[in-house]
Structure formats: C-alpha cells, structure tokens
C-alpha cells in the first residue's frame, strides 16, 4: 500500500514524464476492446482495457484521481501484448505509455523487504550476468539429470506448490550441461555460399535453457547462406526490466548491446525470440532522450530482424522440407506480430513443409497469457487466458503447436499439460520444427 507522500510523488512524476500528446491521441473509440484479452476475460471491465487504462493515466496526470492501488492493479493486470496498437486508428503507442507509467510507480513506491530482495536478486543480480544465468540453469539441469527431480515428484512435494508452478516444473526443457553452455560459438560460416552477413542475438534464457533452439536457428541461417557473428559481450535484452518498472537498468543493458553489435559491419541483427526482438527494436524509443546514444540506438534498431523474416527473404521455404504427416497450427508471439510486424513469414515457412496439414487457429494472434513473468505474478488471469487459447488449439485437431518465443512455448506446453494431452500433443519452437523438416 502506498503512503500519501508516495502517491503525491507518483502524481507529480506522471505530470512530468507521461507523454500528454500520446494520451490525448486516444479517441476512446473502442476499436481496441475486442483485441484485449484482459478486457474480455475480466467480463468486459473498462479498467482492464487499453482505453480504460489510458483514461486512468490521463486522470492521474490531470489530478482527477490519485495513483492508488486500483490504478496500479489495472496497469499490472495488463499483459503488455500490444494487440491494441495495430487496430488503433490513431496509432497510439500504448506500450510506451504502459512502461513509463509502471516505471514511475515502481521507482517511487516503497516495496516490502521480501519484494525488494527478490527484485534486486532478479533484476540486478541475475539477468544482467550471463555467467550467473548459466549457473542457475546448470543447477536446474543437475536437478533433472541427477535423479533428484524423480525423487521430488515421487514424494508428492510438488503438490505443495500452486498448480501453475508445479505444472511448469513438468514442462521445462531438457537443460544442457554447464560445459555445453560455456562452449558457445562466436563465428559460423555460411553454407554453402555467403549471401548475407548477420549478427545473432543469443539472449540470456535462449542461450541457456533454450540453447538447442539457438543452435537450430543458427544452423538454419547457415543453410540459408548467412555468415554469422555472435558477439561474446552481448547482454540480456532488458525486456523483463523494461516491462517491470526498472527502466534505468533496461537502458544500461541496451547500451551494452548497442556497443557489442555496432562495429560488426553486418546486414542484419537476428533474433529468434519475439519478446526479445520487440524490446530490442524499441531501443530507439528507450534512448530517444539520450544525446550520446539516440542515433546509435536508431542504427541498432534499424538492423533488427526476426530469423523467420530473413529465411523467407532468402527463400528458405523453397528448400526440400518434409515431415511425417501431422496436423500443425501456429500461435503468434504477440510482440513478434504486434511490434516487429512479423506474422506471414512463419506461416509461409510452415506451409512449405511437405506432408503436414497446416490449420490456422482461431484468434492465433491473441495472447496466450505468458507475457514474461505474468503467468507467475498474475496466475489466475493467465490461466484463464490459457484455457481459452487451448480451446482454440484443440479445435484445430493439431498434434503440433508451433510458437516463436520461449515464454509462449512454455505456456503452450503448460496448457497441454493442464489439458492432459502430453502424450498426444506437443509444442515446439518454429526453429526446431524447421530443422526437423530439413533433416527429414
């Protein structure tokens, strides 16, 4: 609960920092309402819609309401999927408004000691340090391989956790060894001939927990004629920080990445995680007020491209791609679609695979409920959204659900587990499926 002084400070910061022109751009037309998962799943509560949240921000700026717990709850309930942006006739940059509002609240609110401790450990102590990420994921790998996981499950200890967390433990990918995580390439030649020179953003979780997907992505890029450089000194993209009210830390990480990539003389900077890509491509906005970094950030953002886009550009879909007959559907990564504007390319690649039956899922462009750590901090709403998503996925009859983001992948695996379909349906990252199709 915020104190009177904290609310006064937050209100003053809203007046100083919120972009009032952007707030006024919202015409209250309601075009965003059908695209907002929290508005629909909350029973059409206006305060859980983009239009409603913008109205709350504007009311705080104007001094009509205080930035109290109800305002904070409304902002925290937002997934940040940004599905409202493509349908907005005024072009309101809702995601930028949301991140600014969250940052103001979090930087001027005194959290409890346990919350401060966890936030410091995660945002300062873990994600900015790749070696620590390797250590943590290495411990999870030890838990999986040592027999400890089997022992814990057999004792029923997982039942002490909330359902979503105990199910999440079941769907974690097989973690590589610590030695494998440390032995990463910094350069890979094109095969058979060079058509593009690209830099690969390997990410933090993607290069540890999802390392095999990174390897699959780079192999696909090589086969498409890409020479690849992978900077050793790159860092976490900063998305988790930016979405959680830790904007200064996000800026520090952005500067580290810009510096790591800017002298490589590459055609593109390639990502394979929609959430990371969307935050990376927004570096020009994040650093727009920094005289030293704004132009450098603009150059960086201008080179960002999802790996499916360059595969499509280089006509990878014309290669011989084949899989055993199966029904396949695709779940959009919100940020890949809504921010990076990439939606047709993954579908084109999937439809090129011989012998599969591709079926479009109803509302495939709607959020699955993962949204970074949303499925942990707002578990009830997340599972409600996931249940709707699984209903649509099951209606396709698909045995393979394809995603393009690690959070979406775990969320869809969680949905499959909750539905009792683990022996019939799988969720897979598109890079892994495309490599299967090449090898097939």
């Amino acid at each position: 609960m915020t104190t009177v002084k904290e609310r006064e400070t937050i209100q003053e910061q809203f007046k100083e920092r919120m972009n009032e022109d952007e707030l006024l751009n919202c015409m209250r037309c309601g075009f965003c309402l059908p695209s907002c998962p929290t508005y629909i799943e909350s029973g059409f509560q206006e305060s859980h819609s983009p239009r409603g949240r913008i109205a709350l921000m504007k009311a705080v700026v104007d001094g009509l309401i205080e930035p109290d717990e109800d305002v904070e709850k409304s902002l925290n309930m937002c997934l940040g999927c940004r599905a409202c942006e493509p349908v907005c006739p005024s072009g309101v940059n809702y995601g930028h408004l949301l991140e600014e509002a969250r940052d103001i609240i979090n930087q001027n609110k005194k959290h409890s000691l346990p919350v401060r401790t966890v936030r410091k450990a995660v945002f300062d102590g873990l994600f900015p340090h790749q070696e620590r990420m390797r250590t943590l994921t290495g411990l999870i790998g030890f838990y999986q391989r040592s027999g400890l996981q089997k022992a814990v499950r057999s004792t029923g200890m997982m039942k002490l956790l909330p359902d979503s967390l105990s199910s999440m433990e079941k769907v974690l990918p097989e973690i590589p060894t610590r030695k494998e995580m440390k032995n990463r390439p910094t350069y890979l030649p094109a095969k058979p001939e060079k058509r593009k020179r690209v830099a690969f953003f390997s990410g933090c979780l993607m290069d540890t927990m999802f390392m095999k997907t990174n390897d699959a992505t780079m192999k696909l890029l090589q086969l498409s004629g890409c020479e690849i450089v992978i900077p050793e000194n790159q860092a976490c993209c900063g998305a988790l920080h930016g979405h959680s009210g830790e904007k200064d830390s996000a800026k520090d990480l952005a500067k580290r990445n810009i510096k790591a990539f800017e002298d490589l003389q590459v055609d593109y900077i390639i990502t394979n995680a929609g959430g990371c890509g969307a935050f990376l491509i927004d570096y020009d906005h994040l650093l727009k007020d920094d005289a030293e970094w704004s132009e450098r950030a603009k150059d960086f953002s201008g080179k960002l491209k999802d790996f499916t886009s360059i595969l499509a550009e280089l006509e990878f879909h014309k290669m011989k791609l084949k899989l055993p007959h199966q029904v396949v559907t695709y779940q959009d990564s919100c940020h890949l679609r809504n921010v990076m504007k990439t939606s047709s390319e993954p579908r084109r690649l999937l439809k090129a695979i011989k012998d599969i039956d591709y079926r479009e899922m109803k509302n495939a462009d709607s959020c699955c409920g993962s949204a970074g750590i949303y499925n942990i901090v707002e578990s009830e709403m997340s599972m409600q959204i996931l249940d709707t998503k699984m209903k649509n996925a099951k209606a396709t009859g698909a045995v393979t659900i394809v995603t393009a983001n690690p959070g979406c992948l775990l969320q869809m695996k969680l949905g499959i587990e909750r539905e009792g379909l683990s022996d019939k349906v799988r969720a897979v990252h598109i890079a892994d499926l495309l490599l299967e199709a090449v090898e097939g």
Side-chain angles (χ1 to χ4, degrees), residues 77-132:
M77 189 63 74
C78 180
L79 292 149
C81 68
R82 296 172 73 168
C84 51
E85 292 184 9
V87 299
C88 177
S90 301
V92 176
N93 289 303
Y94 172 81
H96 296 163
L97 291 172
L98 177 69
E99 286 180 6
E100 192 72 13
R102 283 177 170 172
D103 187 62
I104 292 169
I105 291 171
N106 275 289
Q107 294 307 316
N108 294 285
K109 173 185 174 181
K110 187 174 182 180
H111 294 285
S112 66
L113 180 60
V115 171
R116 288 203 308 273
T117 302
V118 170
R119 288 180 71 91
K120 185 166 182 62
V122 171
F123 295 126
D124 297 340
L126 181 58
F127 277 89
H129 308 281
Q130 191 63 5
E131 186 58 34
R132 296 176 191 176

Side-chain angles (χ1 to χ4, degrees), residues 181-421:
M181 286 188 279
K182 290 196 75 170
N183 187 27
R184 303 301 288 145
T186 56
Y187 173 83
L188 292 168
K191 296 178 182 179
E193 61 182 43
K194 175 183 165 183
R195 300 173 68 190
K196 296 287 182 183
R197 176 178 166 86
V198 303
F200 183 62
F201 182 81
S202 50
C204 46
L205 277 177
M206 286 303 298
D207 215 43
T208 50
M209 187 175 290
F210 298 93
M211 193 186 81
K212 291 179 180 178
T213 299
N214 266 5
D215 289 341
T217 304
M218 289 188 282
K219 189 168 184 179
L220 294 171
L221 291 170
Q222 285 182 281
L223 292 172
S224 298
C226 291
E227 176 187 36
I228 311 168
V229 289
I230 308 101
E232 285 186 276
N233 52 343
Q234 61 180 292
C236 167
C237 68
L240 185 62
H241 300 75
H243 300 328
S244 303
E246 297 285 342
K247 201 170 182 181
D248 286 344
S249 296
K251 288 179 179 180
D252 290 340
L253 290 167
K255 291 172 184 177
R256 283 173 60 183
N257 283 321
I258 292 168
K259 190 173 181 180
F261 282 86
E262 66 184 347
D263 294 325
L264 298 179
Q265 298 180 333
V266 294
D267 299 305
Y268 302 119
I269 299 170
I270 302 298
T271 68
N272 64 352
C276 295
F279 199 75
L280 292 166
I281 210 168
D282 254 357
Y283 276 2
D284 57 343
H285 172 77
L286 184 68
L287 297 171
K288 63 182 173 56
D289 298 322
D290 190 313
E292 180 185 351
W293 290 90
S294 59
E295 285 301 316
R296 296 164 74 177
K298 202 173 290 184
D299 291 341
F300 178 93
S301 298
K303 290 185 176 181
L304 251 292
K305 192 181 284 284
D306 184 71
F307 87 102
T308 58
S309 292
I310 191 170
L311 291 189
E313 179 184 325
L314 298 175
E315 299 186 325
F316 178 85
H317 51 285
K318 293 186 178 180
M319 290 181 66
K320 291 181 179 178
L321 305 173
K322 182 179 173 65
L323 284 173
H325 176 72
Q326 57 194 286
V327 179
V328 174
T329 193
Y330 178 69
Q331 164 61 25
D332 282 286
S333 157
C334 296
H335 289 105
L336 182 60
R337 183 185 184 101
N338 300 326
V339 184
M340 296 191 76
K341 313 301 182 190
T342 302
S343 59
S344 63
E345 295 91 332
R347 289 170 168 83
R348 193 184 316 163
L349 294 167
L350 291 173
K351 291 175 182 178
I353 302 173
K354 189 177 179 181
D355 289 346
I356 73 161
D357 178 4
Y358 178 82
R359 297 180 189 172
E360 188 70 18
M361 186 196 311
K362 179 184 177 183
N363 295 333
D365 58 345
S366 179
C367 187
C368 64
S370 172
I373 58 171
Y374 187 92
N375 56 3
I376 297 173
V377 297
E378 299 289 348
S379 179
E380 185 178 349
M381 177 60 78
S382 174
M383 293 304 103
Q384 199 172 323
I385 292 168
L386 178 58
D387 289 343
T388 300
K389 179 61 63 178
M390 287 308 301
K391 180 181 177 181
N392 293 335
K394 287 192 294 181
T396 66
V399 296
T400 301
I401 302 172
V402 183
T403 75
N405 186 62
C408 303
L409 178 61
L410 287 180
Q411 185 80 341
M412 296 312 296
K413 285 187 173 186
L414 181 58
I416 291 167
E417 178 70 25
R418 281 163 57 88
E419 295 288 335
L421 297 172

Side-chain angles (χ1 to χ4, degrees), residues 42-88:
S42 67
F44 311 110
Q45 288 188 41
E46 183 71 15
S47 61
H48 291 327
S49 73
R51 178 177 70 178
R53 292 182 179 109
I54 289 174
L56 289 174
M57 295 178 208
K58 182 69 168 65
V60 172
V61 169
D62 293 341
L64 299 177
I65 62 173
E66 289 188 338
D68 58 15
E69 281 69 31
D70 289 337
V71 172
E72 185 178 0
K73 180 181 177 182
S74 173
L75 297 179
N76 288 341
M77 189 63 74
C78 180
L79 292 149
C81 68
R82 296 172 73 168
C84 51
E85 292 184 9
V87 299
C88 177

